[in-house]
Amino acid sequence: EDEQVVAEIMRRRFFPARITHKTWEGFHFAGHEIRITEATDCYGAVVWPSALVLCYFLETNSKQYNLVDKTVIEIGAGTGLVSIVASLLGALVTATDLPELLGNLQHNVLQNTKLKSKHQPCVKELSWGIDLERNFPRSSCHFDYIMAADVVYHHPFLDELLLTFDHLCKNDTVILWAMKFRLEKENQFVDRFQTLFDLEMISNFPSLNIALFKAMRKGMMKA
């Protein structure tokens, strides 16, 4: 079953029939053909399999997780695929990443959502753990969903990542987080994450070493 679903997910990706002056990959999600411009000089400018897993989940579970008119923030949006799919499914999306990635992110988001989405997504800088209250004040920022795909990998900002989850998450916020398990240090982040949040694995793909989690603040999942 795992391999069949993974094969279906990977079939959503396609490549240009001929070489063009820009490197891009194509994807079929939410009834649209999505073209993503990539770069190979940094991690954040490539579409990783965890993003495809999360997009597939959003599309195939759109009744249970109805995104129409819901507020969504994606942290570590990278090329923007998850944000684009959430937007095409009707959400009010804020796609965030580091300043050096915003140009490509904005290009992808605009190219794939203009005149196609109910709400035009917003692209905004978010450096994990930095100026969170100034840029995303708790009093006025409320997100129904926080989405993240492959944000836990070998980087020195895991403390800041956890702080960012904590700052953005209200009592009724749902976190949807796709994670590829790699090294023990990164895997230990899951244990630290669970000191603040209740965590439920909602999909698992052993052949990809990727799990999809749903999380909410401690005590809020059952409520």
Side-chain angles (χ1 to χ4, degrees), residues 41-110:
D41 55 351
C42 58
Y43 288 126
V46 176
V47 177
W48 298 98
S50 293
L52 274 67
V53 166
L54 182 48
C55 289
Y56 181 80
F57 177 85
L58 294 176
E59 181 188 82
T60 56
N61 293 272
S62 59
K63 290 186 178 180
Q64 183 179 358
Y65 294 87
N66 185 352
L67 297 184
V68 176
D69 298 333
K70 296 295 194 300
T71 53
V72 170
I73 185 169
E74 185 187 4
I75 61 175
T79 59
L81 181 61
V82 171
S83 288
I84 291 164
V85 171
S87 177
L88 293 173
L89 290 170
L92 295 94
V93 177
T94 302
T96 71
D97 215 311
L98 296 169
E100 59 267 27
L101 296 173
L102 295 188
N104 188 57
L105 176 58
Q106 178 71 66
H107 168 77
N108 285 330
V109 167
L110 186 62

Side-chain angles (χ1 to χ4, degrees), residues 117-210:
S117 295
K118 184 177 182 181
H119 308 283
Q120 187 58 43
C122 168
V123 172
K124 192 170 180 179
E125 176 186 343
L126 173 53
S127 300
W128 297 337
I130 298 176
D131 293 331
L132 293 174
E133 181 58 30
R134 180 166 67 89
N135 296 325
F136 299 90
R138 289 179 186 268
S139 61
S140 58
C141 285
H142 177 276
F143 298 104
D144 296 304
Y145 290 94
I146 299 170
M147 297 187 184
D150 222 355
V151 293
V152 179
Y153 52 90
H154 185 60
H155 62 71
F157 304 109
L158 294 178
D159 290 341
E160 291 82 356
L161 175 59
L162 186 59
L163 183 65
T164 301
F165 273 122
D166 184 41
H167 180 84
L168 296 173
C169 190
K170 296 288 200 297
N171 285 345
D172 59 347
T173 301
V174 174
I175 298 170
L176 294 175
W177 165 31
M179 176 176 173
K180 182 175 178 67
F181 287 84
R182 295 183 175 91
L183 303 174
E184 187 58 30
K185 178 184 176 184
E186 292 94 274
N187 297 348
Q188 289 172 358
F189 179 84
V190 177
D191 296 329
R192 297 178 56 207
F193 185 88
Q194 290 183 94
T195 63
L196 298 176
F197 303 98
D198 289 326
L199 192 65
E200 175 189 349
M201 184 185 293
I202 52 178
S203 290
N204 187 29
F205 302 97
S207 63
L208 295 174
N209 212 21
I210 291 173

